[in-house]
Amino acid sequence: MLSTLQPPRSLSLLPLRRFQISKTIVSAASSKTIDTSVISPPQSQILTTRRSLLSGETTAVEIAKSYLSRIRLTEPQLKCFLHVSENVLKDAQEIDQRIAKGEELGPLAGVLIGVKDNICTQGMPSTAASRILEHYRPPFDATAVKKIKELGGIVVGKTNMDEFGMGSTTEASAFQVTANPWDLSRVPGGSSGGSAAAVAARQCMVSLGSDTGGSVRQPASFCGVVGLKPTYGRVSRFGLMAYASSLDVIGCFGSTVADAGMLLHAISGYDRFDSTSSKQDVPEFQSQFLSVDHFESKPLNGVKVGIIRETLEDGVDSGVRSATQEAASHLEALGCILTEVSLPSFSLGLPAYYVIASSESSSNLSRYDGVRYGNQVMAEELNKLYECSRGEGFGGEVKMRILMGTYALSAGYYDAYYKRAQQVRTLIRKDFKAALEQNDILISPAAPSAAYKIGEKKDDPLAMYAGDIMTVNVNLAGLPAMVLPCGLVEGGPSGLPVGLQMIGAAFDEEKLLKVGHIFEQTLKGSSFVPPLLANVA
Amino acid sequence: MSTTLLRTIQLNQFSLLGTSLLRRRRSNNFSVRSCGSQTTTTHEAKQSSPTRVAPKNHKSNQLDEILRDYEAVIGIETHVQLSTLTKAFCSCSNNYGSYPNTSICPVCMGLPGALPVLNSKVVEFGVRLGLALNCDLSLKSKFDRKQYFYPDLPKGYQISQFDIPIASGGYVDVDIPLEFGGGHRRFGITRVHMEEDAGKLLHSDTGDYSQVDLNRAGVPLLEIVSEPDMRSGIEAAEYACEMQRIARYLGVSNGNMQEGSLRCDVNISIRPIGQAEFGTKVEIKNLNAFSAISRAIDFEISRQALLYNQGKADQIVTETRLWEEGAQKTVTMRKKEGLADYRYFPEPDLPEVILTQEYVDSIRASLPELPEAKRRRYEAMGLGMQDVLFLANDVSVAEYFDAVIGKGAEVKLAANWIMSDIAAYLKNEKLSINDIKLTPQELAELIAAIKDGTISGKIGKEILFELLAKGGTVKGMIKAKDLVQITDPAEIEKMVIQVVSENPKQLEQYRSGKTKLQGYFAGQVMKMSKGKANPGLLNKILLEKLNAKD
C-alpha cells in the first residue's frame, strides 16, 4: 500500500504522551532544531483513521469521543472554536453503521474536520467571527463542506478567525482570542488561527481555512502544522464569505503533508456555482505519499529549487533565516538543485495587496447592511439603520479596511490606487512565471518571525501588515503554496515552530505535495507537537 | 397683493403649458400608432381624450413664439427587462407577478458566500439587440460592480457593465407618423450593456415600514443609451416605441411598459438656437407610456424655455424630475449635489465575456426581419406610410400580413382588411392577432373570392367575423350558406322587375323626380337576393328599369 502507514496505533482517550517532545533542545542561542531522531516521521491522520476503522480496531464513535474530550480539555485555554457541532457523535455513529453493514466508505470517513467560520455550514452558525453575523446560520453548505460531507468527513465545529479574514493574529475576532498551543501567551497567527491551532492541538485531524494574503500559511507556520493554499480556482469559493474575491482561496491544514493533500483532493474541482473555479483536472495526489522505506537515496534528485533572495533580507528574524537555510540544505541533501532567484517586484506586493484586498472587501462587505439578515439595529430612518447596524456590527480592523477600500475606489483615486495595484499584480505574476520557468518550486520563509505575543502588534497595524510580506505575492499571482514546519526557534516553553513556504506553478500542487512530503518524512526531529498537549495529559 | 398676483400668473402659466402643448402636439393617432398592445391603446386613448379637447388659449401663441427660439437636446436611457426563463446570475425563475419573495435564492438574496454565475441567454440577447441596433460588439467585455446602498439592492452593488459594454456605437431608424409631420430620422445609440435589476420596495399604507420583495432582484436587463439626438417629445416617443418594437421583434422582452419591462428615463436640456454648448441637463423619470414621454418632454421644454425667457435660466438645475400623470407636469424628485460616485470596479466573481466571431455571425444570421427593414419593404410594395407604420408596428400583425400576401393576396386589399375590420374586431374583443381563428390562408382566399366576384364585399364582411371567431374555410362557408354572388344579369333583371312592379307608388315618386329612391329599390332587390346580387350589375339594371319609358 502506498502510504505513510506506520504500525497502527489506537487513538486512546489521551494518546498525547506519545507526542511528548524530549527536552533535548540544544542551547537556546543556536536556535537549532530539536534532536528527536528517535521519533518516527509523522503519519497521516486520515490514513490512520481509515486503516483502524476498516480493521475494526476502533470505531468512529470512539475516535470522535477522544477528540471531543480533548476539545473539552484544551478549549478553555486555546479557544480555537466558536462553535462545536452537536452532531459529531451522531455523524460518527452513521459511519459505524455503514461499516457494520459493509457499505462503501468515503475516503474521509470518520475524519474530524474543523471548518473556518467564514465557510458556510448548513444550519450551523457561520459568522466569519463578526458581530454583524452573530447567530447567522446559512441555508446551504459551501461546496467544499458539501464535498467533505459526501466523502464521510465529520465537521467538528467552526474555528475562530480574524473578523472576515482581516488580520494576521486571530485577535480581530469579535468573540474571542485564540492562543497558540506552543505558547499560550502567543498568537496562533491568522486569519485562520483557529483552524491552525485546532490541528496543532489535535482537536481535529484536519481543518479548512481560507487564504487571501497568507491566512492559511502564516498560522500554519506559527502553529507548526502544514498549511496548503491551492491555486486560485482549484477549490470552489461558493460558500466562502468573500473578503477579496480575486485573492480568496479555501485552503487546508493537516499535521502532515499527506493529510493536507488528501483534504485538498477532496474539496478540489470545478463547481458550476463558482465561475472562477477551474476545469483543470485534479490529479490523484495520494500516489505521492510514499512511506519512507520506499524512498530512494536521493528521492528529490534533480528537482530545481529556487530560494527567493528578497525573502531573506533585512526584516527577517535570524532564527527564521537560519531555519530556512537549513531547510534548503536539507532539500539539497535530498537531491534538489538549489539556486538563488530574485523577484524584482517582490517588495511591491504588500502595498498592492492591501489596495486590492481592501477595495474588494469594501464592496464585498456592502451586503452586510442589516436589512435581510444578521445584526439589525432598529432605527427611525434608513441611513441610520445602515449606520448603526454596520457601525455596531463591524470591528475596528474591518471598518479600517472598508474605509481604505472605499477611498481607493473613489472617483479620481481609482487610477492611482486600484488600477496601479492591478498593474503591479501583473508584474508580480510575470516575475513568478519567469522564476518558475527556471525552477520547479520556489522556497521562502512563511513569515518574517515565529509567533509573537498576544497584543504585541495590536496597536500597530502596519507592523502586522508587514508580517504578510512573505505570502501576499503568492495570492496576487494566484499560485499554489504550502507551508510546512521546518524547525524551531527560541521562545515559549519548548521552542516555537518555523514554517518553510514552498511555491509552485499554477495547478501544480502535486509537485509541492511530493517535495513537501519527502521533506517532512526525512526531516530529523520532525514531530512538531506542541507542549500544551503534554501539559494537559 | 403683488406677490400673490405674480404667483397666480406663474401658476397659470404652468398649468396652461400642459394643455396648450398637448393641443399643439398631440393627436388622437399618436398613441394608437405607437402602442403595440391593443388593450393599452384603448386605455391610453381614453385617458388622454379630455385634454385633447382643451380650448385654445390665447397664451399658446405667445408660448409658440418663445419656443421658436430654443432647441431641445434629448437623450434616452432605456431599460429592457429580458424574457429569459431564469434570472441573470442564478437559476431562479424570472416570473413577473409572483407572490413576493417566492422566486429567490441565496445568490439573488446576496447571502454571504453566494456567487453569481452568468446566464448565457443574457449574452445572447445582448448580442441580438446590439446587432439589431447596428452596434459594434465587444468581443471581449466584462462586468463591473456599481456600488450604492439601498434596501432593494441585496449585495450593496449592482452587477453591470461600465467601461466596456457588450455593444456600442449603433443607430436606429424611425419614421415619424404623418400627423406629426412625417419624415425619417436616424438616432445614434451610444451603448448597450447588460446588468441586473434590483428588487422592489413595498411601502406600508401608514408609512411606518417598508417591505422588500426580491423577486425582481437579479432579473436581467439590457440598458440602451441613446445619443442626445432627439429634439422633440414626438421624436423621443417614437424612439422609445421603436425600442419596444425591436425588443418584441427580437423576442428578447415583452416590452410591456405597465409591468416595467420597458423603462425609459429621459435626459433633456434646451439651448437657444445657434448655441453650440448644451444647456443644463434634467432627467425625467416615471414615464410609463409613450404618450407620457412625449408630453413630459414637451412640458419640460416649455418650462425651461419660459425660465430662459424670463431671465431665470439659473433656476434650471441638474436634477431628477418625476412626471406626474395626473397633473400632467414634472416635479422635482431630487437635486443632484455633484456626481454620484458609484465606485465602479471590475466584478471579480465573473470572468470576462468573450465572444467568438462565429458566435456573433450565427446570431446575426438568425435575426428576424427588423421593423425598419419591414417598413422599407412595405413602402416599396406601394403601401402608404400610414399603412406601413400600422402594419410594421406589431410584429404579430406584420407576420400575419406577410403570411396573407405570401398566399397571393393583393397587397393593398390585404392591408385594408387587416387595418380596418380585423383591427376593429381585435380592439372590441381585446384580442391579439395571434388569437384569431382566421388563418392568413383563408384571409387570402376571402380577398380572392371578393376580387373574382364569387362573393360580394358585403357578404365577405359578414363571413369575416364568423371566420375570425370560429375559423373554417371561406370555400366551405360560401358553399354551406349558399353565398355565391349572383352575377347573371337575367336573374338580377328578374328580381328588379319584380321589385319595381311590386312598388308602383315609389316608382311614380321616383319618376316624378325623387331619384334618391333608387337606394330604396336597390335595397329591396338586395334583400330579395339575400345580399348575393352583384351590386354593380344590380344598380346598372335597376337604373335601366327605373328610367325606362314604358
Side-chain angles (χ1 to χ4, degrees):
Chain A
M1 188 176 167
L2 299 175
S3 77
T4 59
L5 278 185
Q6 302 293 313
R9 72 191 161 86
S10 62
L11 284 155
S12 63
L13 188 66
L14 290 169
L16 304 167
R17 284 198 182 96
R18 291 183 58 103
F19 290 104
Q20 203 161 3
I21 296 174
S22 60
K23 297 262 181 190
T24 52
I25 295 188
V26 192
S27 90
S30 72
S31 314
K32 267 212 141 187
T33 49
I34 317 157
D35 174 21
T36 48
S37 48
V38 287
I39 295 173
S40 50
Q43 44 190 325
S44 159
Q45 309 258 331
I46 293 177
L47 291 175
T48 307
T49 303
R50 187 172 184 78
R51 172 83 182 249
S52 47
L53 286 180
L54 287 176
S55 67
E57 205 175 299
T58 182
T59 64
V61 170
E62 267 182 68
I63 297 174
K65 275 184 178 165
S66 83
Y67 274 86
L68 286 175
S69 70
R70 194 172 308 140
I71 288 175
R72 265 195 297 278
L73 281 169
T74 54
E75 194 54 10
Q77 292 161 283
L78 290 176
K79 298 199 176 79
C80 296
F81 285 92
L82 290 172
H83 174 80
V84 176
S85 167
E86 311 89 49
N87 295 328
V88 174
L89 288 179
K90 203 180 114 254
D91 294 345
Q93 270 163 11
E94 272 171 37
I95 302 285
D96 286 336
Q97 280 161 11
R98 293 184 70 112
I99 295 171
K101 285 187 212 157
E103 287 175 30
E104 189 76 12
L105 275 193
L108 295 180
V111 173
L112 296 155
I113 301 168
V115 176
K116 193 177 179 181
D117 202 37
N118 61 348
I119 300 171
C120 289
T121 43
Q122 188 171 358
M124 200 185 281
S126 305
T127 70
S130 179
R131 273 285 165 232
I132 208 158
L133 283 176
E134 198 170 2
H135 310 305
Y136 174 72
R137 289 169 193 256
F140 62 94
D141 274 328
T143 300
V145 171
K146 192 164 156 269
K147 287 187 168 194
I148 283 173
K149 287 183 176 173
E150 282 165 3
L151 298 177
I154 299 171
V155 175
V156 182
K158 304 306 292 287
T159 59
N160 195 24
M161 56 183 287
D162 289 296
E163 186 177 358
F164 286 109
M166 298 178 184
S168 311
T169 64
T170 314
E171 290 166 289
S173 164
F175 304 113
Q176 63 194 32
V177 174
T178 299
N180 190 319
W182 290 81
D183 177 354
L184 296 178
S185 69
R186 290 176 191 268
V187 297
S191 65
S192 312
S195 287
V199 169
R202 303 331 191 237
Q203 291 180 323
C204 53
M205 298 175 192
V206 289
S207 63
L208 293 183
S210 67
D211 192 317
T212 306
S215 285
V216 162
R217 290 160 289 156
Q218 182 254 24
S221 174
F222 281 18
C223 292
V225 295
V226 177
L228 177 55
K229 173 228 175 277
T231 312
Y232 184 82
R234 180 61 105 183
V235 178
S236 168
R237 292 186 295 118
F238 187 78
L240 169 67
M241 297 177 188
Y243 162 16
S245 312
S246 72
L247 303 164
D248 292 342
V249 287
I250 291 181
C252 307
F253 289 99
S255 53
T256 60
V257 171
D259 284 340
M262 281 184 281
L263 183 59
L264 175 65
H265 187 266
I267 62 173
S268 290
Y270 172 72
D271 177 15
R272 66 190 180 91
F273 293 114
D274 176 4
S275 325
T276 61
S277 69
S278 166
K279 289 186 175 165
Q280 287 264 349
D281 284 341
V282 184
E284 194 59 61
F285 302 136
Q286 205 172 318
S287 55
Q288 302 301 330
F289 309 135
L290 290 166
S291 74
V292 182
D293 26 299
H294 288 81
F295 290 167
E296 296 154 19
S297 60
K298 295 232 174 213
L300 294 176
N301 206 17
V303 174
K304 286 182 275 183
V305 176
I307 183 161
I308 304 170
R309 182 192 302 149
E310 288 81 2
T311 62
L312 294 171
E313 289 171 352
D314 292 346
V316 180
D317 284 4
S318 59
V320 170
R321 199 178 304 158
S322 55
T324 308
Q325 276 153 355
E326 277 172 38
S329 311
H330 182 55
L331 283 170
E332 261 186 320
L334 292 168
C336 293
I337 304 158
L338 194 74
T339 50
E340 196 178 77
V341 297
S342 172
L343 299 173
S345 59
F346 188 81
S347 64
L348 304 176
L350 201 58
Y353 166 79
Y354 273 96
V355 168
I356 292 169
S358 302
S359 299
E360 291 184 11
S361 72
S362 74
S363 172
N364 284 328
L365 269 55
S366 298
R367 65 183 60 195
Y368 306 109
D369 56 6
V371 172
R372 282 146 294 125
Y373 50 80
N375 177 55
Q376 186 185 68
V377 177
M378 294 290 277
E380 284 300 306
E381 178 257 327
L382 183 61
N383 281 327
K384 207 83 198 152
L385 179 138
Y386 288 144
E387 232 173 88
C388 297
S389 299
R390 288 168 68 83
E392 290 178 22
F394 289 137
E397 183 65 34
V398 172
K399 282 181 197 161
M400 183 157 68
R401 295 199 195 188
I402 290 175
L403 284 174
M404 287 198 297
T406 304
Y407 181 81
L409 289 178
S410 296
Y413 297 98
Y414 180 88
D415 287 355
Y417 293 105
Y418 190 79
K419 205 170 162 191
R420 197 156 169 77
Q422 291 292 4
Q423 289 162 346
V424 169
R425 190 174 185 172
T426 307
L427 272 183
I428 287 170
R429 211 177 265 149
K430 261 193 210 153
D431 283 354
F432 266 117
K433 194 159 184 279
L436 283 163
E437 272 161 13
Q438 304 298 317
N439 295 281
D440 291 303
I441 63 164
L442 305 176
I443 60 169
S444 78
S449 73
Y452 41 85
K453 294 275 187 186
I454 290 171
E456 192 179 323
K457 295 191 180 172
K458 215 173 174 194
D459 300 322
D460 190 357
L462 285 179
M464 190 184 74
Y465 296 172
D468 298 337
I469 186 139
M470 303 295 175
T471 48
V472 290
N473 290 281
V474 177
N475 295 78
L476 290 171
L479 299 175
M482 183 165 67
V483 163
L484 65 173
C486 69
L488 294 176
V489 295
E490 189 186 355
S494 54
L496 297 170
V498 171
L500 175 72
Q501 175 171 236
M502 297 179 175
I503 303 162
F507 297 103
D508 198 3
E509 287 87 358
E510 197 173 11
K511 197 170 284 153
L512 292 180
L513 290 166
K514 178 187 174 180
V515 175
H517 173 72
I518 292 170
F519 178 92
E520 165 197 271
Q521 295 293 314
T522 54
L523 192 68
K524 292 283 176 257
S526 57
S527 249
F528 287 90
V529 180
L532 172 83
L533 298 178
N535 297 340
V536 166
Chain B
M1 182 63 203
S2 62
T3 15
T4 323
L5 188 64
L6 186 64
R7 272 190 200 143
T8 319
I9 290 169
Q10 284 183 325
L11 275 175
N12 275 340
Q13 281 171 336
F14 280 102
S15 63
L16 288 169
L17 287 181
T19 42
S20 57
L21 280 164
L22 294 167
R23 183 197 47 72
R24 232 167 39 85
R25 299 199 181 215
R26 278 177 54 249
S27 104
N28 193 9
N29 289 327
F30 169 71
S31 50
V32 177
R33 166 101 56 252
S34 306
C35 294
S37 143
Q38 296 292 336
T39 43
T40 330
T41 308
T42 340
H43 178 67
E44 285 296 315
K46 272 183 197 148
Q47 208 176 40
S48 51
S49 54
T51 35
R52 239 184 355 260
V53 293
K56 190 171 178 163
N57 194 288
H58 67 279
K59 296 218 172 183
S60 64
N61 289 334
Q62 208 183 318
L63 180 64
D64 283 347
E65 271 172 41
I66 295 171
L67 288 173
R68 231 170 270 145
D69 299 333
Y70 296 95
E71 176 190 48
V73 177
I74 301 158
I76 298 187
E77 286 169 22
T78 311
H79 286 90
V80 179
Q81 210 177 67
L82 302 184
S83 53
T84 50
L85 289 176
T86 56
K87 291 186 180 180
F89 300 111
C90 61
S91 52
C92 286
S93 64
N94 174 13
N95 281 335
Y96 176 80
S98 307
Y99 190 77
N101 295 317
T102 54
S103 196
I104 57 172
C105 74
V107 176
C108 55
M109 281 176 78
L111 291 191
L115 295 171
V117 177
L118 178 61
N119 178 348
S120 61
K121 270 281 174 203
V122 178
V123 178
E124 186 193 317
F125 284 7
V127 172
R128 284 174 83 81
L129 190 62
L131 291 173
L133 295 175
N134 310 292
C135 290
D136 297 324
L137 291 177
S138 308
L139 292 183
K140 198 167 134 182
S141 71
K142 64 181 173 78
F143 284 98
D144 300 275
R145 291 183 182 177
K146 178 181 181 178
Q147 313 193 62
Y148 62 93
F149 283 100
Y150 206 61
D152 66 6
L153 191 69
K155 299 186 293 297
Y157 55 83
Q158 178 194 29
I159 302 178
S160 182
Q161 294 193 293
F162 180 50
D163 51 346
I164 312 174
I166 189 157
S168 55
Y171 61 85
V172 63
D173 291 304
V174 304
D175 288 290
I176 304 295
L178 292 173
E179 58 270 32
F180 303 113
H184 187 262
R185 301 274 195 288
R186 174 168 288 188
F187 302 126
I189 301 291
T190 313
R191 57 185 278 161
V192 178
H193 71 251
M194 305 179 276
E195 62 184 27
E196 59 176 341
D197 211 340
K200 263 184 197 157
L201 289 190
L202 310 165
H203 303 287
S204 69
D205 296 336
T206 54
D208 292 348
Y209 62 91
S210 301
Q211 292 168 301
V212 188
D213 174 11
L214 293 179
N215 282 348
R216 203 179 66 179
V219 164
L221 301 174
L222 288 174
E223 180 175 331
I224 307 159
V225 182
S226 82
E227 289 290 308
D229 287 350
M230 286 146 270
R231 294 289 173 268
S232 69
I234 287 304
E235 287 188 352
E238 267 311 316
Y239 166 88
C241 245
E242 187 71 3
M243 290 300 134
Q244 184 189 57
R245 263 178 230 122
I246 290 172
R248 287 178 174 175
Y249 268 62
L250 295 172
V252 301
S253 170
N254 67 22
N256 191 324
M257 287 189 106
Q258 272 65 41
E259 290 176 10
S261 305
L262 185 85
R263 308 196 282 269
C264 294
D265 298 335
V266 166
N267 284 303
I268 173 168
S269 64
I270 69 165
R271 58 184 171 192
I273 283 172
Q275 180 182 308
E277 62 268 28
F278 293 141
T280 305
K281 188 173 75 178
V282 169
E283 186 181 17
I284 313 175
K285 285 182 182 285
N286 196 32
L287 300 166
N288 297 320
F290 298 117
S291 53
I293 294 175
S294 167
R295 278 177 274 145
I297 287 174
D298 289 342
F299 174 89
E300 193 58 26
I301 292 173
S302 308
R303 185 186 73 89
Q304 295 185 18
L306 271 176
L307 286 171
Y308 258 112
N309 194 247
Q310 294 165 349
K312 294 177 189 163
D314 57 335
Q315 286 181 22
I316 306 169
V317 294
T318 309
E319 63 176 335
T320 300
R321 296 178 71 85
L322 274 188
W323 172 246
E324 287 193 346
E325 188 66 44
Q328 294 285 308
K329 62 176 187 176
T330 66
V331 294
T332 298
M333 178 174 134
R334 58 167 180 261
K335 307 242 190 238
K336 287 187 179 168
E337 287 153 11
L339 275 176
D341 185 357
Y342 292 117
R343 304 192 312 282
Y344 280 101
F345 81 105
E347 165 59 280
D349 288 333
L350 291 168
E352 288 174 317
V353 179
I354 312 280
L355 308 174
T356 62
Q357 195 56 51
E358 297 82 72
Y359 175 78
V360 174
D361 292 343
S362 74
I363 290 186
R364 193 190 301 273
S366 75
L367 288 183
E369 185 181 35
L370 291 163
E372 172 66 5
K374 261 203 205 308
R375 288 192 296 260
R376 298 288 77 86
R377 183 162 60 82
Y378 290 169
E379 204 177 19
M381 282 157 65
L383 289 171
M385 190 46 74
Q386 195 111 6
D387 301 4
V388 167
L389 293 182
F390 183 97
L391 292 168
N393 182 50
D394 181 329
V395 63
S396 305
V397 172
E399 278 167 4
Y400 191 91
F401 171 69
D402 284 339
V404 174
I405 58 173
K407 296 291 175 191
E410 195 181 295
V411 169
K412 184 65 190 164
L413 291 175
N416 285 347
W417 278 99
I418 292 172
M419 290 172 60
S420 54
D421 297 279
I422 295 179
Y425 174 80
L426 295 177
K427 197 170 165 181
N428 287 336
E429 304 291 318
K430 295 192 164 56
L431 292 174
S432 125
I433 200 157
N434 295 323
D435 302 327
I436 63 174
K437 302 272 167 51
L438 173 68
T439 61
Q441 166 80 43
E442 291 308 315
L443 179 56
E445 293 275 352
L446 183 66
I447 292 167
I450 295 167
K451 201 181 169 208
D452 69 14
T454 311
I455 56 171
S456 67
K458 189 165 177 288
I459 295 277
K461 257 182 203 190
E462 277 169 28
I463 67 169
L464 173 77
F465 291 102
E466 206 167 331
L467 288 165
L468 283 169
K470 295 181 193 153
T473 64
V474 174
K475 283 200 176 90
M477 204 166 283
I478 291 171
K479 203 172 169 193
K481 300 196 168 187
D482 186 23
L483 298 172
V484 178
Q485 186 168 234
I486 302 165
T487 47
D488 177 2
E491 204 175 323
I492 292 173
E493 189 176 359
K494 223 160 57 189
M495 288 187 278
V496 170
I497 291 167
Q498 193 184 338
V499 166
V500 169
S501 64
E502 279 172 3
N503 293 286
K505 214 164 143 192
Q506 283 82 356
L507 182 64
E508 201 183 301
Q509 287 175 340
Y510 176 88
R511 288 189 175 160
S512 60
K514 212 171 172 187
T515 52
K516 66 179 177 188
L517 274 171
Q518 186 201 336
Y520 169 78
F521 285 103
Q524 291 300 310
V525 176
M526 199 49 103
K527 201 172 157 192
M528 182 177 279
S529 75
K530 293 183 185 129
K532 293 187 290 181
N534 178 305
L537 267 175
L538 185 153
N539 277 317
K540 186 170 158 259
I541 297 170
L542 180 64
L543 270 180
E544 278 170 21
K545 295 293 166 202
L546 289 175
N547 298 334
K549 308 270 184 232
D550 54 6

